[in-house]
Amino acid sequence: MALTCSRSELAQFLGGPNSTAAADYICSQFTTVNDKFTDTAYAVDSTYLLFSAYLVFSMQLGFAMLCAGSVRAKNTMNIMLTNVLDAATGGIFYYLFGFAFAFGSPSNGFIGRHNFALKSIPSSLFDYSNFLYQWAFAIAAAGITSGSIAERTQFVAYLVYSSFLTGFVYPVVSHWF
């Protein structure tokens, strides 16, 4: 919420011969301080969002360890590579399609239709920290399922599934909410 300073109301309140000049000075100082508070609030919000994204992204390490513990020793490297490529392909598909499907407005009610490949980002509504935060949740959704299908699918088939999940399924559901 931006606060405003009315020079005319302040000049009436101050009274006296130099009230207009004093009101101008006070309002200019007030505007400067208000802008600094706005910038500080934006910086704090972005820092909190980035820290939260890093925490969610670190869940991928936990999913990788859980998956590695639930497969035979000979498949441990395969499952680790699956988790790394899960994040990489998920990042590419969420960048190309997912963010637009989730947040591209105006939408048709089912799915977003604008901002593919972050076309008009950064803007005042969304910036890269918001993209990183949403991407971390999208790949976490895909990472959760990787352990349940470990040793049951082919590597390429899982990457196709993971890409579809992070590029379409998760964004559409998040758009609905």
Side-chain angles (χ1 to χ4, degrees), residues 27-76:
C27 284
S28 69
Q29 295 301 313
F30 178 79
T31 303
T32 303
V33 170
N34 188 36
D35 290 344
K36 288 183 181 182
F37 279 133
T38 303
D39 293 343
T40 302
Y42 181 77
V44 168
D45 290 346
S46 293
T47 302
Y48 179 75
L49 199 58
L50 287 171
F51 182 71
S52 299
Y54 301 147
L55 288 177
V56 173
F57 185 74
S58 68
M59 289 170 37
Q60 287 295 109
L61 178 62
F63 295 143
M65 295 297 116
L66 180 65
C67 291
S70 64
V71 298
R72 293 176 287 182
K74 70 177 190 169
N75 292 327
T76 302

Side-chain angles (χ1 to χ4, degrees), residues 57-143:
F57 185 74
S58 68
M59 289 170 37
Q60 287 295 109
L61 178 62
F63 295 143
M65 295 297 116
L66 180 65
C67 291
S70 64
V71 298
R72 293 176 287 182
K74 70 177 190 169
N75 292 327
T76 302
M77 290 303 288
N78 185 26
I79 201 69
M80 291 296 181
L81 181 63
T82 300
N83 277 285
V84 169
L85 290 180
D86 191 16
T89 59
I92 292 169
F93 279 86
Y94 196 76
Y95 166 77
L96 292 175
F97 309 109
F99 195 78
F101 288 158
F103 298 104
S105 61
S107 70
N108 62 10
F110 174 71
I111 196 168
R113 300 182 298 177
H114 298 283
N115 301 332
F116 287 97
L118 301 179
K119 182 179 167 187
S120 63
I121 304 294
S123 72
S124 60
L125 299 176
F126 294 111
D127 60 6
Y128 293 109
S129 62
N130 189 27
F131 168 77
L132 183 69
Y133 182 71
Q134 296 299 329
W135 166 72
F137 272 105
I139 63 168

